[in-house]
Structures are given as structure tokens and as C-alpha cells.
Amino acid sequence: MEKKRFALKKLMEAVEKELLHKPNAKTLDRLSMLAGFQDWESFQNALHGDADAKTNYNT
């Protein structure tokens, strides 16, 4: 039983560490593209400013 408790504790520590890990810029850019933006900065501008995804496709 003690081995299971120790293994569970280690697993929870690993999960917590990963949840607290901030994604890198490349990952954030890719996630932003899924939402229809060119990059993370454009996404942030749309969230906190007056830009939207349409501005990414204007020529």
C-alpha cells in the first residue's frame, strides 16, 4: 500500500508541475491559429483591444 501511495504522490507532483508549466511562444502561436489568428500577439490584441480575426485577412 505504501508503494502505491508513493507512486500516486509522484504522479500528482508531475501533473501539477506540468499544469503550472507555461507553454512556449510556438505553442501559443499554433493555438492562436486554431482560433483564426495569425499569431499569439494578434490573438491577445483581439482579446484586449479592438482588433479581431478579420484584420488578419485584409489585404
Side-chain angles (χ1 to χ4, degrees), residues 3-44:
K3 287 182 181 181
K4 288 182 181 180
R5 186 174 296 138
F6 180 76
L8 182 59
K9 181 180 176 184
K10 286 295 185 183
L11 177 62
M12 290 303 296
E13 288 174 0
V15 168
E16 288 174 355
K17 182 179 176 182
E18 189 62 32
L19 289 174
L20 296 175
H21 181 260
K22 183 178 178 184
N24 64 30
K26 189 173 182 179
T27 302
L28 294 173
D29 284 344
R30 288 180 178 170
L31 291 171
S32 298
M33 290 178 78
L34 288 172
F37 295 87
Q38 293 295 317
D39 55 24
W40 180 249
E41 185 178 347
S42 299
F43 180 67
Q44 289 294 302

mmCIF file of all heavy atoms in Angstrom, residues 3-44:
data_model
loop_
_atom_site.group_PDB
_atom_site.id
_atom_site.type_symbol
_atom_site.label_atom_id
_atom_site.label_comp_id
_atom_site.label_asym_id
_atom_site.label_seq_id
_atom_site.Cartn_x
_atom_site.Cartn_y
_atom_site.Cartn_z
ATOM 1 N N LYS A 3 3.775 1.647 -1.343
ATOM 2 C CA LYS A 3 4.331 1.862 -2.685
ATOM 3 C C LYS A 3 3.317 2.555 -3.588
ATOM 4 O O LYS A 3 3.675 3.448 -4.362
ATOM 5 C CB LYS A 3 4.761 0.536 -3.313
ATOM 6 C CG LYS A 3 6.010 -0.045 -2.719
ATOM 7 C CD LYS A 3 6.401 -1.331 -3.421
ATOM 8 C CE LYS A 3 7.644 -1.923 -2.805
ATOM 9 N NZ LYS A 3 8.060 -3.151 -3.488
ATOM 10 N N LYS A 4 2.049 2.167 -3.471
ATOM 11 C CA LYS A 4 1.004 2.793 -4.281
ATOM 12 C C LYS A 4 0.830 4.259 -3.893
ATOM 13 O O LYS A 4 0.663 5.121 -4.745
ATOM 14 C CB LYS A 4 -0.312 2.044 -4.129
ATOM 15 C CG LYS A 4 -0.329 0.708 -4.809
ATOM 16 C CD LYS A 4 -1.677 0.043 -4.670
ATOM 17 C CE LYS A 4 -1.689 -1.306 -5.343
ATOM 18 N NZ LYS A 4 -2.981 -1.976 -5.221
ATOM 19 N N ARG A 5 0.862 4.522 -2.609
ATOM 20 C CA ARG A 5 0.725 5.897 -2.132
ATOM 21 C C ARG A 5 1.884 6.755 -2.632
ATOM 22 O O ARG A 5 1.690 7.880 -3.082
ATOM 23 C CB ARG A 5 0.672 5.912 -0.602
ATOM 24 C CG ARG A 5 0.392 7.286 -0.042
ATOM 25 C CD ARG A 5 0.203 7.284 1.459
ATOM 26 N NE ARG A 5 -0.983 6.491 1.799
ATOM 27 C CZ ARG A 5 -1.049 5.638 2.807
ATOM 28 N NH1 ARG A 5 -0.017 5.458 3.591
ATOM 29 N NH2 ARG A 5 -2.145 4.962 3.048
ATOM 30 N N PHE A 6 3.093 6.212 -2.585
ATOM 31 C CA PHE A 6 4.269 6.931 -3.070
ATOM 32 C C PHE A 6 4.166 7.178 -4.575
ATOM 33 O O PHE A 6 4.437 8.282 -5.053
ATOM 34 C CB PHE A 6 5.541 6.138 -2.755
ATOM 35 C CG PHE A 6 6.796 6.803 -3.224
ATOM 36 C CD1 PHE A 6 7.328 7.891 -2.541
ATOM 37 C CD2 PHE A 6 7.453 6.350 -4.361
ATOM 38 C CE1 PHE A 6 8.477 8.513 -2.977
ATOM 39 C CE2 PHE A 6 8.607 6.964 -4.808
ATOM 40 C CZ PHE A 6 9.119 8.050 -4.113
ATOM 41 N N ALA A 7 3.746 6.167 -5.338
ATOM 42 C CA ALA A 7 3.604 6.303 -6.785
ATOM 43 C C ALA A 7 2.546 7.349 -7.134
ATOM 44 O O ALA A 7 2.736 8.165 -8.036
ATOM 45 C CB ALA A 7 3.257 4.965 -7.421
ATOM 46 N N LEU A 8 1.441 7.337 -6.409
ATOM 47 C CA LEU A 8 0.381 8.319 -6.637
ATOM 48 C C LEU A 8 0.868 9.727 -6.320
ATOM 49 O O LEU A 8 0.581 10.677 -7.057
ATOM 50 C CB LEU A 8 -0.842 7.972 -5.801
ATOM 51 C CG LEU A 8 -2.053 8.871 -5.971
ATOM 52 C CD1 LEU A 8 -2.522 8.885 -7.415
ATOM 53 C CD2 LEU A 8 -3.174 8.407 -5.050
ATOM 54 N N LYS A 9 1.625 9.867 -5.249
ATOM 55 C CA LYS A 9 2.163 11.175 -4.882
ATOM 56 C C LYS A 9 3.096 11.694 -5.972
ATOM 57 O O LYS A 9 3.018 12.861 -6.369
ATOM 58 C CB LYS A 9 2.918 11.074 -3.553
ATOM 59 C CG LYS A 9 3.490 12.385 -3.096
ATOM 60 C CD LYS A 9 4.227 12.240 -1.780
ATOM 61 C CE LYS A 9 4.864 13.556 -1.398
ATOM 62 N NZ LYS A 9 5.671 13.462 -0.201
ATOM 63 N N LYS A 10 3.957 10.833 -6.505
ATOM 64 C CA LYS A 10 4.873 11.233 -7.575
ATOM 65 C C LYS A 10 4.102 11.612 -8.836
ATOM 66 O O LYS A 10 4.444 12.573 -9.526
ATOM 67 C CB LYS A 10 5.873 10.112 -7.890
ATOM 68 C CG LYS A 10 6.933 9.956 -6.842
ATOM 69 C CD LYS A 10 7.782 11.191 -6.809
ATOM 70 C CE LYS A 10 8.935 11.051 -5.860
ATOM 71 N NZ LYS A 10 9.733 12.258 -5.768
ATOM 72 N N LEU A 11 3.063 10.861 -9.157
ATOM 73 C CA LEU A 11 2.244 11.163 -10.324
ATOM 74 C C LEU A 11 1.572 12.516 -10.165
ATOM 75 O O LEU A 11 1.568 13.328 -11.097
ATOM 76 C CB LEU A 11 1.196 10.066 -10.524
ATOM 77 C CG LEU A 11 0.213 10.285 -11.657
ATOM 78 C CD1 LEU A 11 0.939 10.353 -13.001
ATOM 79 C CD2 LEU A 11 -0.837 9.193 -11.662
ATOM 80 N N MET A 12 1.025 12.789 -9.007
ATOM 81 C CA MET A 12 0.365 14.076 -8.762
ATOM 82 C C MET A 12 1.358 15.233 -8.830
ATOM 83 O O MET A 12 1.038 16.294 -9.365
ATOM 84 C CB MET A 12 -0.341 14.067 -7.404
ATOM 85 C CG MET A 12 -1.561 13.160 -7.366
ATOM 86 S SD MET A 12 -2.782 13.564 -8.626
ATOM 87 C CE MET A 12 -3.256 15.187 -8.118
ATOM 88 N N GLU A 13 2.554 15.038 -8.336
ATOM 89 C CA GLU A 13 3.577 16.080 -8.433
ATOM 90 C C GLU A 13 3.911 16.369 -9.890
ATOM 91 O O GLU A 13 4.057 17.529 -10.279
ATOM 92 C CB GLU A 13 4.835 15.663 -7.677
ATOM 93 C CG GLU A 13 4.685 15.694 -6.179
ATOM 94 C CD GLU A 13 5.900 15.125 -5.448
ATOM 95 O OE1 GLU A 13 6.870 14.699 -6.103
ATOM 96 O OE2 GLU A 13 5.861 15.103 -4.203
ATOM 97 N N ALA A 14 4.017 15.326 -10.706
ATOM 98 C CA ALA A 14 4.324 15.506 -12.129
ATOM 99 C C ALA A 14 3.186 16.227 -12.842
ATOM 100 O O ALA A 14 3.426 17.120 -13.663
ATOM 101 C CB ALA A 14 4.599 14.154 -12.778
ATOM 102 N N VAL A 15 1.954 15.870 -12.533
ATOM 103 C CA VAL A 15 0.794 16.519 -13.159
ATOM 104 C C VAL A 15 0.731 17.984 -12.753
ATOM 105 O O VAL A 15 0.521 18.861 -13.598
ATOM 106 C CB VAL A 15 -0.508 15.776 -12.778
ATOM 107 C CG1 VAL A 15 -1.737 16.583 -13.169
ATOM 108 C CG2 VAL A 15 -0.542 14.405 -13.422
ATOM 109 N N GLU A 16 0.906 18.277 -11.484
ATOM 110 C CA GLU A 16 0.879 19.664 -11.021
ATOM 111 C C GLU A 16 1.980 20.483 -11.673
ATOM 112 O O GLU A 16 1.761 21.628 -12.075
ATOM 113 C CB GLU A 16 1.010 19.723 -9.503
ATOM 114 C CG GLU A 16 -0.230 19.260 -8.782
ATOM 115 C CD GLU A 16 -0.036 19.196 -7.278
ATOM 116 O OE1 GLU A 16 1.093 19.412 -6.788
ATOM 117 O OE2 GLU A 16 -1.028 18.905 -6.589
ATOM 118 N N LYS A 17 3.161 19.914 -11.800
ATOM 119 C CA LYS A 17 4.272 20.611 -12.426
ATOM 120 C C LYS A 17 3.944 20.929 -13.881
ATOM 121 O O LYS A 17 4.198 22.036 -14.360
ATOM 122 C CB LYS A 17 5.538 19.763 -12.352
ATOM 123 C CG LYS A 17 6.751 20.426 -12.941
ATOM 124 C CD LYS A 17 7.974 19.537 -12.819
ATOM 125 C CE LYS A 17 9.171 20.171 -13.491
ATOM 126 N NZ LYS A 17 10.343 19.312 -13.437
ATOM 127 N N GLU A 18 3.350 19.994 -14.592
ATOM 128 C CA GLU A 18 3.011 20.203 -15.996
ATOM 129 C C GLU A 18 1.893 21.231 -16.145
ATOM 130 O O GLU A 18 1.899 22.031 -17.073
ATOM 131 C CB GLU A 18 2.607 18.878 -16.658
ATOM 132 C CG GLU A 18 2.451 18.960 -18.140
ATOM 133 C CD GLU A 18 3.720 19.337 -18.884
ATOM 134 O OE1 GLU A 18 4.824 18.989 -18.426
ATOM 135 O OE2 GLU A 18 3.610 19.996 -19.938
ATOM 136 N N LEU A 19 0.931 21.224 -15.236
ATOM 137 C CA LEU A 19 -0.158 22.188 -15.302
ATOM 138 C C LEU A 19 0.330 23.612 -15.060
ATOM 139 O O LEU A 19 -0.235 24.560 -15.602
ATOM 140 C CB LEU A 19 -1.251 21.834 -14.286
ATOM 141 C CG LEU A 19 -2.080 20.599 -14.604
ATOM 142 C CD1 LEU A 19 -3.024 20.299 -13.446
ATOM 143 C CD2 LEU A 19 -2.863 20.779 -15.891
ATOM 144 N N LEU A 20 1.357 23.750 -14.255
ATOM 145 C CA LEU A 20 1.899 25.074 -13.961
ATOM 146 C C LEU A 20 2.887 25.542 -15.025
ATOM 147 O O LEU A 20 3.282 26.700 -15.027
ATOM 148 C CB LEU A 20 2.578 25.071 -12.587
ATOM 149 C CG LEU A 20 1.650 24.811 -11.407
ATOM 150 C CD1 LEU A 20 2.465 24.720 -10.118
ATOM 151 C CD2 LEU A 20 0.600 25.888 -11.291
ATOM 152 N N HIS A 21 3.267 24.651 -15.922
ATOM 153 C CA HIS A 21 4.231 24.971 -16.965
ATOM 154 C C HIS A 21 3.597 25.887 -18.004
ATOM 155 O O HIS A 21 2.522 25.615 -18.516
ATOM 156 C CB HIS A 21 4.702 23.674 -17.631
ATOM 157 C CG HIS A 21 5.691 23.865 -18.694
ATOM 158 N ND1 HIS A 21 5.350 23.844 -20.017
ATOM 159 C CD2 HIS A 21 7.016 24.102 -18.661
ATOM 160 C CE1 HIS A 21 6.422 24.048 -20.758
ATOM 161 N NE2 HIS A 21 7.445 24.200 -19.938
ATOM 162 N N LYS A 22 4.231 27.007 -18.300
ATOM 163 C CA LYS A 22 3.723 27.946 -19.297
ATOM 164 C C LYS A 22 4.143 27.481 -20.691
ATOM 165 O O LYS A 22 5.313 27.187 -20.920
ATOM 166 C CB LYS A 22 4.276 29.341 -19.026
ATOM 167 C CG LYS A 22 3.733 30.378 -19.971
ATOM 168 C CD LYS A 22 4.261 31.753 -19.664
ATOM 169 C CE LYS A 22 3.726 32.736 -20.680
ATOM 170 N NZ LYS A 22 4.274 34.060 -20.487
ATOM 171 N N PRO A 23 3.204 27.421 -21.632
ATOM 172 C CA PRO A 23 3.565 26.995 -22.990
ATOM 173 C C PRO A 23 4.512 27.992 -23.648
ATOM 174 O O PRO A 23 4.473 29.194 -23.362
ATOM 175 C CB PRO A 23 2.231 26.961 -23.729
ATOM 176 C CG PRO A 23 1.200 27.461 -22.808
ATOM 177 C CD PRO A 23 1.804 27.723 -21.481
ATOM 178 N N ASN A 24 5.344 27.496 -24.567
ATOM 179 C CA ASN A 24 6.290 28.388 -25.246
ATOM 180 C C ASN A 24 5.584 29.162 -26.352
ATOM 181 O O ASN A 24 4.415 28.915 -26.673
ATOM 182 C CB ASN A 24 7.493 27.605 -25.773
ATOM 183 C CG ASN A 24 7.130 26.590 -26.830
ATOM 184 O OD1 ASN A 24 6.180 26.758 -27.581
ATOM 185 N ND2 ASN A 24 7.901 25.524 -26.915
ATOM 186 N N ALA A 25 6.275 30.118 -26.943
ATOM 187 C CA ALA A 25 5.691 31.015 -27.946
ATOM 188 C C ALA A 25 5.188 30.245 -29.165
ATOM 189 O O ALA A 25 4.136 30.575 -29.723
ATOM 190 C CB ALA A 25 6.717 32.064 -28.358
ATOM 191 N N LYS A 26 5.900 29.227 -29.586
ATOM 192 C CA LYS A 26 5.499 28.445 -30.758
ATOM 193 C C LYS A 26 4.162 27.749 -30.499
ATOM 194 O O LYS A 26 3.277 27.745 -31.366
ATOM 195 C CB LYS A 26 6.584 27.418 -31.077
ATOM 196 C CG LYS A 26 6.398 26.698 -32.372
ATOM 197 C CD LYS A 26 7.612 25.829 -32.653
ATOM 198 C CE LYS A 26 7.491 25.114 -33.974
ATOM 199 N NZ LYS A 26 8.669 24.281 -34.256
ATOM 200 N N THR A 27 3.983 27.202 -29.319
ATOM 201 C CA THR A 27 2.725 26.547 -28.966
ATOM 202 C C THR A 27 1.585 27.557 -28.921
ATOM 203 O O THR A 27 0.488 27.297 -29.423
ATOM 204 C CB THR A 27 2.851 25.836 -27.608
ATOM 205 O OG1 THR A 27 3.911 24.882 -27.685
ATOM 206 C CG2 THR A 27 1.563 25.150 -27.212
ATOM 207 N N LEU A 28 1.838 28.716 -28.339
ATOM 208 C CA LEU A 28 0.810 29.753 -28.268
ATOM 209 C C LEU A 28 0.419 30.234 -29.667
ATOM 210 O O LEU A 28 -0.764 30.468 -29.940
ATOM 211 C CB LEU A 28 1.297 30.918 -27.413
ATOM 212 C CG LEU A 28 1.497 30.601 -25.932
ATOM 213 C CD1 LEU A 28 2.153 31.776 -25.225
ATOM 214 C CD2 LEU A 28 0.196 30.215 -25.277
ATOM 215 N N ASP A 29 1.394 30.382 -30.562
ATOM 216 C CA ASP A 29 1.098 30.778 -31.941
ATOM 217 C C ASP A 29 0.222 29.743 -32.628
ATOM 218 O O ASP A 29 -0.740 30.077 -33.326
ATOM 219 C CB ASP A 29 2.385 30.980 -32.741
ATOM 220 C CG ASP A 29 3.088 32.286 -32.414
ATOM 221 O OD1 ASP A 29 2.456 33.174 -31.804
ATOM 222 O OD2 ASP A 29 4.275 32.409 -32.776
ATOM 223 N N ARG A 30 0.534 28.481 -32.434
ATOM 224 C CA ARG A 30 -0.259 27.403 -33.061
ATOM 225 C C ARG A 30 -1.689 27.378 -32.526
ATOM 226 O O ARG A 30 -2.643 27.196 -33.276
ATOM 227 C CB ARG A 30 0.408 26.055 -32.833
ATOM 228 C CG ARG A 30 1.660 25.885 -33.656
ATOM 229 C CD ARG A 30 2.300 24.556 -33.406
ATOM 230 N NE ARG A 30 3.489 24.393 -34.236
ATOM 231 C CZ ARG A 30 4.350 23.425 -34.103
ATOM 232 N NH1 ARG A 30 4.175 22.510 -33.170
ATOM 233 N NH2 ARG A 30 5.393 23.345 -34.884
ATOM 234 N N LEU A 31 -1.842 27.553 -31.231
ATOM 235 C CA LEU A 31 -3.183 27.602 -30.653
ATOM 236 C C LEU A 31 -3.959 28.794 -31.169
ATOM 237 O O LEU A 31 -5.163 28.704 -31.442
ATOM 238 C CB LEU A 31 -3.096 27.633 -29.126
ATOM 239 C CG LEU A 31 -2.608 26.353 -28.465
ATOM 240 C CD1 LEU A 31 -2.362 26.590 -26.983
ATOM 241 C CD2 LEU A 31 -3.592 25.220 -28.680
ATOM 242 N N SER A 32 -3.300 29.911 -31.342
ATOM 243 C CA SER A 32 -3.946 31.112 -31.867
ATOM 244 C C SER A 32 -4.410 30.900 -33.298
ATOM 245 O O SER A 32 -5.487 31.370 -33.693
ATOM 246 C CB SER A 32 -2.984 32.300 -31.814
ATOM 247 O OG SER A 32 -2.622 32.563 -30.483
ATOM 248 N N MET A 33 -3.617 30.179 -34.085
ATOM 249 C CA MET A 33 -4.004 29.894 -35.462
ATOM 250 C C MET A 33 -5.282 29.052 -35.505
ATOM 251 O O MET A 33 -6.127 29.249 -36.378
ATOM 252 C CB MET A 33 -2.867 29.201 -36.199
ATOM 253 C CG MET A 33 -1.691 30.133 -36.458
ATOM 254 S SD MET A 33 -0.324 29.320 -37.261
ATOM 255 C CE MET A 33 -0.934 29.284 -38.934
ATOM 256 N N LEU A 34 -5.440 28.130 -34.563
ATOM 257 C CA LEU A 34 -6.669 27.332 -34.495
ATOM 258 C C LEU A 34 -7.887 28.214 -34.231
ATOM 259 O O LEU A 34 -8.999 27.890 -34.652
ATOM 260 C CB LEU A 34 -6.557 26.266 -33.408
ATOM 261 C CG LEU A 34 -5.633 25.101 -33.703
ATOM 262 C CD1 LEU A 34 -5.473 24.228 -32.472
ATOM 263 C CD2 LEU A 34 -6.163 24.280 -34.868
ATOM 264 N N ALA A 35 -7.675 29.323 -33.552
ATOM 265 C CA ALA A 35 -8.765 30.244 -33.241
ATOM 266 C C ALA A 35 -8.983 31.266 -34.352
ATOM 267 O O ALA A 35 -9.859 32.128 -34.251
ATOM 268 C CB ALA A 35 -8.477 30.956 -31.924
ATOM 269 N N GLY A 36 -8.163 31.196 -35.420
ATOM 270 C CA GLY A 36 -8.362 32.089 -36.562
ATOM 271 C C GLY A 36 -7.466 33.310 -36.586
ATOM 272 O O GLY A 36 -7.738 34.260 -37.317
ATOM 273 N N PHE A 37 -6.415 33.311 -35.802
ATOM 274 C CA PHE A 37 -5.497 34.437 -35.752
ATOM 275 C C PHE A 37 -4.148 34.032 -36.320
ATOM 276 O O PHE A 37 -3.814 32.857 -36.378
ATOM 277 C CB PHE A 37 -5.344 34.945 -34.309
ATOM 278 C CG PHE A 37 -6.625 35.500 -33.768
ATOM 279 C CD1 PHE A 37 -7.557 34.672 -33.158
ATOM 280 C CD2 PHE A 37 -6.916 36.838 -33.886
ATOM 281 C CE1 PHE A 37 -8.749 35.166 -32.675
ATOM 282 C CE2 PHE A 37 -8.107 37.358 -33.404
ATOM 283 C CZ PHE A 37 -9.029 36.513 -32.795
ATOM 284 N N GLN A 38 -3.365 35.015 -36.733
ATOM 285 C CA GLN A 38 -2.063 34.737 -37.331
ATOM 286 C C GLN A 38 -1.014 34.338 -36.307
ATOM 287 O O GLN A 38 -0.127 33.553 -36.601
ATOM 288 C CB GLN A 38 -1.561 35.960 -38.125
ATOM 289 C CG GLN A 38 -2.394 36.253 -39.343
ATOM 290 C CD GLN A 38 -2.315 35.136 -40.359
ATOM 291 O OE1 GLN A 38 -1.252 34.607 -40.618
ATOM 292 N NE2 GLN A 38 -3.440 34.772 -40.919
ATOM 293 N N ASP A 39 -1.112 34.891 -35.113
ATOM 294 C CA ASP A 39 -0.131 34.597 -34.070
ATOM 295 C C ASP A 39 -0.705 34.970 -32.711
ATOM 296 O O ASP A 39 -1.820 35.477 -32.606
ATOM 297 C CB ASP A 39 1.193 35.321 -34.329
ATOM 298 C CG ASP A 39 1.027 36.825 -34.487
ATOM 299 O OD1 ASP A 39 0.038 37.398 -33.979
ATOM 300 O OD2 ASP A 39 1.887 37.432 -35.134
ATOM 301 N N TRP A 40 0.058 34.679 -31.674
ATOM 302 C CA TRP A 40 -0.379 34.937 -30.302
ATOM 303 C C TRP A 40 -0.602 36.416 -30.059
ATOM 304 O O TRP A 40 -1.555 36.814 -29.392
ATOM 305 C CB TRP A 40 0.650 34.377 -29.335
ATOM 306 C CG TRP A 40 0.307 34.588 -27.890
ATOM 307 C CD1 TRP A 40 0.941 35.403 -27.010
ATOM 308 C CD2 TRP A 40 -0.760 33.973 -27.158
ATOM 309 N NE1 TRP A 40 0.334 35.328 -25.775
ATOM 310 C CE2 TRP A 40 -0.710 34.453 -25.846
ATOM 311 C CE3 TRP A 40 -1.748 33.057 -27.500
ATOM 312 C CZ2 TRP A 40 -1.609 34.063 -24.868
ATOM 313 C CZ3 TRP A 40 -2.649 32.667 -26.511
ATOM 314 C CH2 TRP A 40 -2.573 33.173 -25.219
ATOM 315 N N GLU A 41 0.250 37.250 -30.602
ATOM 316 C CA GLU A 41 0.114 38.697 -30.407
ATOM 317 C C GLU A 41 -1.203 39.207 -30.996
ATOM 318 O O GLU A 41 -1.900 40.010 -30.372
ATOM 319 C CB GLU A 41 1.300 39.433 -31.035
ATOM 320 C CG GLU A 41 1.278 40.922 -30.775
ATOM 321 C CD GLU A 41 2.484 41.625 -31.358
ATOM 322 O OE1 GLU A 41 3.450 40.963 -31.749
ATOM 323 O OE2 GLU A 41 2.433 42.861 -31.427
ATOM 324 N N SER A 42 -1.561 38.736 -32.185
ATOM 325 C CA SER A 42 -2.826 39.136 -32.800
ATOM 326 C C SER A 42 -4.012 38.683 -31.950
ATOM 327 O O SER A 42 -4.992 39.410 -31.793
ATOM 328 C CB SER A 42 -2.953 38.537 -34.201
ATOM 329 O OG SER A 42 -1.929 38.982 -35.034
ATOM 330 N N PHE A 43 -3.910 37.490 -31.425
ATOM 331 C CA PHE A 43 -4.964 36.961 -30.563
ATOM 332 C C PHE A 43 -5.109 37.821 -29.311
ATOM 333 O O PHE A 43 -6.221 38.173 -28.911
ATOM 334 C CB PHE A 43 -4.647 35.511 -30.212
ATOM 335 C CG PHE A 43 -5.670 34.864 -29.325
ATOM 336 C CD1 PHE A 43 -6.952 34.623 -29.776
ATOM 337 C CD2 PHE A 43 -5.340 34.473 -28.042
ATOM 338 C CE1 PHE A 43 -7.899 34.012 -28.959
ATOM 339 C CE2 PHE A 43 -6.269 33.856 -27.222
ATOM 340 C CZ PHE A 43 -7.556 33.630 -27.685
ATOM 341 N N GLN A 44 -3.987 38.163 -28.693
ATOM 342 C CA GLN A 44 -4.017 39.000 -27.497
ATOM 343 C C GLN A 44 -4.595 40.379 -27.801
ATOM 344 O O GLN A 44 -5.355 40.920 -27.004
ATOM 345 C CB GLN A 44 -2.604 39.137 -26.910
ATOM 346 C CG GLN A 44 -2.097 37.875 -26.264
ATOM 347 C CD GLN A 44 -2.899 37.509 -25.049
ATOM 348 O OE1 GLN A 44 -3.025 38.274 -24.096
ATOM 349 N NE2 GLN A 44 -3.468 36.322 -25.064
#
